[in-house]
Amino acid sequence: MNRLKKLLLMSALLTVTSYALAIESPQMREETATSGISHQYTGGWEYFVGGGVAAFDCNDDQYPELYFAGGASSAALYINQSALGQPLKFSKKSNSNLALDAVTGAYPLDIDNDGILDLVVLRLGENMLFKGTGNCQFENANKEWGFDGGNAWTTAFAATWEGKSTKPSLAFGNYVDRSQAGSPFGTCHDTDFYRPNERGQYSQNTPLTPGYCALSLLFTDWNRSGQPSLKIANDRQYYRGEGQEQLWKIPQGKPPVRYTVEEGWHRQRIWGMGIAAADLTGDGKPDYYITSMADNKLSTLASQDGSARFKDIARVSGVTAHRPFTGNAVLPSTGWHAQFDDVNNDSFIDLYVVKGNVEAMSDFATLDPNNLFLGTPEGKFIESAERSDMLSFHRGRGGSLVDLNLDGLLDVVVVNRKQDSQIWRNLGAGSADKSAAMGNWLALKIVQSGSNRNAIGAFIEVRVADRTQSREVTVGGGHAGDKAHWHHFGIGVAERAVARVQWPDGEWSPWIRLFANQHARISRDKSTADTWLPFASAKGLTQ
């Protein structure tokens, strides 16, 4: 290499390094030991996958509880006892109906539209629909809602409301069919799709055939047509033949139909583990991050004619995450849960990826730290987990970015296999002893009357100056877990913003003016938002 080339290379490296240092990394403090949370996801090969966590408020104080899958151990519900902006504190709920064995994951949503969140619990065996009755009490509603939980190995879930249905349609993604000869290879179970009948019963299952060992599902309106489709991430470890990632059309009142090559869909074969969605390009349409083993993908819509043609932009965006970013490991990574959100409140979306070897796969990295990618104005991402003091080499599975103490800073929860789950408090730009604000933020809740109270399928837009952030409201994605809580938006240095909602039926709300650093509820029947101050009231808003 000649002198000029060396100088150019050094200049480029200095530029990249300086740019990375200019991105403000949040300071995270691990509080696992003092949080009151002591939980592991355990078991044999049936629990190599799964291990999710659900974050949701079940006692109406607006602080989110955490429900951890346990695998061969009992699942556990932890009640949030944190105070505003203070260290994270939880207590395990004893004698809970949710303390089940064989739980792989869980997803919160309000199935019966009573304003109290219910919980869908995924299991190795019978899946359970639990009806929330208030004060973190739950009743098994399988019989009441006509749902046969089956006996499959369920590892994924998603829900959506179709048209004017009074209850959501439910999709359960199943893994290997252990009853078939030749299991596990080539014996992937179909995905189960349930629509409620006229009496609101889930008595009819429509199998989505073929199934290719689903590990994540997401109903999403990928082209903003007003009609969501079902995106499925499949694990190629066990499928054979024509196995691939899938996208299903869900026409109202008709059976689901797979998108075909003629409709723009290109076959993609990866070890699909988790799905995260966010509008990264500013076109108002979701982009999708799919975790895998060594080959994480970031898909954005590439067509202009309405066809389902996507292109991968993971490499140019800096989020391939195909190898550990620190240490001496050169073997490929294994990604699981992924989530987009703004952890430093600079108004540019960030990405958290939970990683961990399946068990002891020698062709993949053993020490495989989780990634925290910070978004930049140019659409690139900068790795920040180590600088944010949240380096972990445990075998991660599920996770959540969620504001656990309602200070406007997203905290981090991770479920680990055969190792303690972990929890970090976001101190912003502060220190281990005192938190300090980074950028400003908004926390929004959207509600409508009647069915689909929490407006699943809506799009929230938040605008500051000439830039608009867009967020689709979904139930699903991630790896075996999701959150149902305040919708968090970082807005940088702005002191005001405006927000509006495109409701699931396509109608738009007016633009609503909001001040920075507040919790606000947008109701469909109101042209102004209701604000809530966590330090002034513990029961200000209802779900």
Side-chain angles (χ1 to χ4, degrees):
M1 183 181 294
N2 60 36
R3 180 179 173 79
L4 177 59
K5 288 183 177 179
K6 287 182 179 179
L7 288 173
L8 290 173
L9 178 59
M10 291 177 63
S11 176
L13 290 173
L14 286 171
T15 299
V16 171
T17 302
S18 299
Y19 183 68
L21 292 174
I23 302 300
E24 192 169 20
S25 300
Q27 180 66 36
M28 297 285 186
R29 179 181 182 180
E30 185 174 357
E31 296 187 345
T32 303
T34 58
S35 68
I37 294 173
S38 179
H39 188 80
Q40 295 187 0
Y41 183 70
T42 67
W45 80 282
E46 292 97 339
Y47 304 109
F48 285 0
V49 297
V53 57
F56 65 112
D57 173 26
C58 62
N59 57 11
D60 198 28
D61 64 358
Q62 308 306 315
Y63 287 79
E65 277 65 55
L66 297 173
Y67 179 64
F68 292 90
S73 304
S74 293
L77 177 64
Y78 281 84
I79 307 302
N80 194 338
Q81 296 182 328
S82 307
L84 177 66
Q86 297 301 304
L88 305 175
K89 299 291 183 182
F90 288 81
S91 63
K92 185 176 179 179
K93 184 173 178 58
S94 59
N95 302 318
S96 172
N97 289 352
L98 301 178
L100 304 167
D101 61 3
V103 173
T104 58
Y107 289 78
L109 74 161
D110 187 356
I111 294 175
D112 57 355
N113 307 300
D114 64 354
I116 302 173
L117 287 171
D118 310 305
L119 194 65
V120 177
V121 177
L122 313 183
R123 302 178 68 229
L124 179 71
E126 183 185 13
N127 296 317
M128 312 288 281
L129 304 182
F130 280 97
K131 179 179 179 178
T133 59
N135 197 28
C136 295
Q137 301 294 322
F138 294 87
E139 297 177 352
N140 182 349
N142 279 17
K143 184 176 181 180
E144 179 182 348
W145 293 340
F147 175 70
D148 179 356
N151 192 39
W153 180 357
T154 304
T155 46
F157 176 79
T160 189
W161 265 261
E162 296 187 77
K164 296 182 179 180
S165 176
T166 58
K167 282 186 178 177
S169 297
L170 312 177
F172 293 82
N174 302 309
Y175 204 50
V176 170
D177 186 345
R178 297 158 297 152
S179 67
Q180 290 191 35
S183 173
F185 296 100
T187 62
C188 291
H189 202 291
D190 293 335
T191 293
D192 294 325
F193 179 63
Y194 293 85
R195 282 186 169 122
N197 61 23
E198 63 279 359
R199 296 180 292 108
Q201 301 284 293
Y202 293 103
S203 57
Q204 183 63 46
N205 170 31
T206 302
L208 304 188
T209 302
Y212 296 125
C213 293
L215 285 176
S216 190
L217 308 177
L218 185 67
F219 285 105
T220 176
D221 189 357
W222 57 272
N223 59 356
R224 297 296 294 268
S225 66
Q227 185 66 44
S229 302
L230 180 62
K231 187 174 182 63
I232 306 182
N234 294 306
D235 182 7
R236 69 176 297 173
Q237 181 71 19
Y238 296 117
Y239 64 58
R240 288 178 176 172
E242 293 300 313
Q244 57 180 292
E245 303 296 282
Q246 295 171 302
L247 185 68
W248 291 77
K249 289 179 282 189
I250 313 293
Q252 290 187 29
K254 298 179 181 179
V257 181
R258 286 175 63 189
Y259 276 91
T260 64
V261 173
E262 291 73 24
E263 294 169 303
W265 184 253
H266 290 174
R267 188 174 77 160
Q268 186 178 75
R269 296 165 61 90
I270 61 174
W271 290 273
M273 308 291 204
I275 303 173
D279 174 20
L280 303 179
T281 62
D283 64 356
K285 300 182 179 70
D287 305 298
Y288 304 98
Y289 191 76
I290 313 294
T291 58
S292 181
M293 300 172 73
D295 197 16
N296 301 291
K297 302 292 187 182
L298 179 56
S299 300
T300 189
L301 188 62
S303 67
Q304 300 295 325
D305 58 2
S307 61
R309 182 167 56 86
F310 293 82
K311 65 179 179 180
D312 180 38
I313 58 172
R315 186 170 298 278
V316 298
S317 301
V319 291
T320 54
H322 57 288
R323 286 190 176 89
F325 61 84
T326 189
N328 299 319
V330 296
L331 293 174
S333 285
T334 304
W336 296 92
H337 182 82
Q339 185 178 334
F340 285 109
D341 230 317
D342 191 350
V343 296
N344 59 359
N345 289 339
D346 64 354
S347 81
F348 299 101
I349 202 77
D350 309 313
L351 173 63
Y352 189 59
V353 183
V354 179
K355 289 182 168 180
N357 197 295
V358 172
E359 184 70 4
M361 296 186 73
S362 59
D363 291 336
F364 292 85
T366 301
L367 300 178
D368 198 3
N370 306 329
N371 293 98
L372 176 61
F373 291 108
L374 299 182
T376 70
E378 290 75 18
K380 309 287 187 179
F381 289 84
I382 302 296
E383 173 56 51
S384 181
E386 192 164 11
R387 285 189 290 127
S388 295
D389 200 23
M390 54 183 302
L391 199 61
S392 173
F393 292 96
H394 291 345
R395 284 179 294 177
R397 289 299 186 266
S400 187
L401 300 177
V402 57
D403 186 358
L404 295 169
N405 58 359
L406 299 189
D407 60 356
L409 297 168
L410 293 173
D411 308 301
V412 182
V413 183
V414 173
V415 184
N416 295 308
R417 175 166 164 75
K418 293 184 177 179
Q419 293 164 303
D420 288 340
S421 298
Q422 293 170 283
I423 188 166
W424 287 266
R425 178 162 64 104
N426 189 341
L427 302 177
S431 65
D433 298 317
K434 185 177 181 180
S435 63
M438 300 187 77
N440 293 327
W441 52 272
L442 291 171
L444 303 180
K445 185 170 290 190
I446 63 172
V447 295
Q448 59 182 1
S449 59
S451 63
N452 192 10
R453 286 176 53 95
N454 296 321
I456 306 305
F459 281 83
I460 305 172
E461 293 187 351
V462 171
R463 188 176 72 199
V464 173
D466 61 350
R467 183 165 169 266
T468 300
Q469 299 181 55
S470 175
R471 181 84 52 83
E472 185 178 18
V473 181
T474 61
V475 175
H479 182 71
D482 196 7
K483 69 175 180 178
H485 202 233
W486 299 93
H487 301 288
H488 180 90
F489 291 85
I491 58 173
V493 299
E495 296 180 352
R496 298 184 182 187
V498 293
R500 66 174 181 173
V501 177
Q502 185 179 31
W503 300 100
D505 63 2
E507 181 180 334
W508 285 95
S509 76
W511 285 105
I512 296 173
R513 295 181 181 181
L514 298 165
F515 288 99
N517 303 329
Q518 65 178 200
H519 295 77
R521 179 177 64 186
I522 298 175
S523 302
R524 184 160 186 168
D525 58 353
K526 300 182 68 173
S527 59
T528 59
D530 296 308
T531 59
W532 178 73
L533 302 177
F535 57 83
S537 170
K539 300 287 182 180
L541 293 176
T542 57
Q543 290 283 350

